[in-house]
Amino acid sequence: MQKIIFMGTPSFAVPILKDLVKSNDYDVLAVVTQPDRPFGRKRVLKASPVKLFAEEANIDILQPEKISGSKEMQKIIDLSPDFIITAAFGQFLPTKLLNAAKVAAVNVHGSLLPKYRGGAPVQYSIMNGDDRTGISIMYMVKKMDAGDILAQESIKIEENDDTASMFDKLSILGSKLLLETLPKIVDGSVKPIAQDESKVVFSPNIKRSEEQLDFNKTAFLVDRKVRALRPDPSAFTFLKGKRTKIWQTKVVNDEKTDLAPGQVVTKTKKSLKIACGNGTVISIIELQPAGKPKQNINAYLNGAGQSIREKEQVITNE
């Protein structure tokens, strides 16, 4: 059996880890994941999804605040694994640690590299309007997501996909592709392909300032941003001067408007259509005013949104 150290943190990594544990070909010696973090208004410490699974599976858990130079890093080196496998771990690995893998240090990355190196590849693929995304299995090097590609497979981004649904699909694809690739690394039949540096696109973690919707963009891109930021951190706008999270929208493909972005195109008891860039129109389906629970547009229009009028400028920058 090949000995493995697995490094990952979010739900995306869990199916990959599960399938390695179930396989008869691999022995997961330990799991490395981010430390428990404060969560919610009460700031209660919350374990990562990978830690929760590792506890169920009785796998040794390491949680260094910083892996470089830590006692946990030395423990990994002492375990002398055949593979170090990462999937959305969330920290850079020093060269000394990468070299501790007797066969290879391998990363399961949620994009079609070299496009979308960085911490938010799935979000950017949706937000930028891409038709497809995918999984890249790659050798790990110290430079972020820059190692040679060992295997790659794409998957379509469907009309209603958001980051949550794409993570679910990509984790399943990533597990399949990893299990197909590891034996090829062992027997030497894998053919690494260097990334084309001229085609690199970065996808840094989403900043708070980037969570606001821009209705000057087309309805297609507004809808894509809503889905890219769902379920976390969620997109927002200022609706009637109040900060409001927008959870679900729909592009109105058969309608155009001369109204300015942010103005009300149509209001009925059950729908609210807003003008976007290039004369496009978007329908708001579900929202959440600050301090309120999520609600469908019907409930909103029967409550706080009763005063909204057609042609009114209801979306503002603040």
Side-chain angles (χ1 to χ4, degrees), residues 17-86:
L17 173 58
K18 280 184 178 180
D19 285 348
L20 287 170
V21 171
K22 287 191 298 184
S23 171
N24 294 323
D25 297 322
Y26 306 105
D27 180 15
V28 180
L29 303 177
V31 160
V32 189
T33 191
Q34 295 281 23
D36 298 3
R37 301 295 188 196
F39 180 80
R41 292 183 179 180
K42 295 184 178 180
R43 311 305 288 163
V44 177
L45 286 179
K46 184 177 181 180
S48 74
V50 164
K51 179 181 178 179
L52 293 175
F53 172 76
E55 287 176 335
E56 292 177 8
N58 294 315
I59 304 171
D60 191 18
I61 300 167
L62 307 176
Q63 293 183 274
E65 188 67 45
K66 184 179 179 183
I67 188 69
S68 182
S70 66
K71 66 180 186 297
E72 290 88 353
M73 175 173 141
Q74 187 57 51
K75 182 172 182 178
I76 294 168
I77 293 171
D78 292 343
L79 286 169
S80 189
D82 296 297
F83 285 100
I84 294 174
I85 296 175
T86 66

Side-chain angles (χ1 to χ4, degrees), residues 158-262:
E158 302 289 350
E159 184 177 351
N160 294 318
D161 275 323
D162 59 14
T163 290
S165 66
M166 288 311 304
F167 269 136
D168 289 344
K169 294 177 183 180
L170 287 169
S171 63
I172 294 169
L173 178 61
S175 178
K176 177 187 79 73
L177 200 57
L178 177 68
L179 291 175
E180 291 173 356
T181 305
L182 291 179
K184 297 177 183 178
I185 299 174
V186 174
D187 68 21
S189 63
V190 73
K191 296 180 180 179
I193 299 174
Q195 295 187 42
D196 185 343
E197 292 292 326
S198 69
K199 295 181 179 178
V200 170
V201 178
F202 290 101
S203 59
N205 291 331
I206 306 292
K207 299 176 182 177
R208 288 186 64 85
S209 59
E210 296 170 328
E211 296 168 14
Q212 185 170 1
L213 296 170
D214 181 2
F215 282 75
N216 290 298
K217 293 188 175 181
T218 64
F220 172 79
L221 289 177
V222 172
D223 176 66
R224 278 300 190 105
K225 187 163 188 175
V226 170
R227 292 193 275 138
L229 300 185
R230 188 175 71 218
D232 184 66
S234 74
F236 77 91
T237 190
F238 288 94
L239 177 60
K240 295 283 287 185
K242 295 184 177 180
R243 184 183 172 107
T244 303
K245 290 183 177 181
I246 305 297
W247 287 103
Q248 186 177 357
T249 53
K250 184 174 182 179
V251 179
V252 185
N253 289 313
D254 58 354
E255 197 168 335
K256 300 289 282 185
T257 182
D258 294 327
L259 295 177

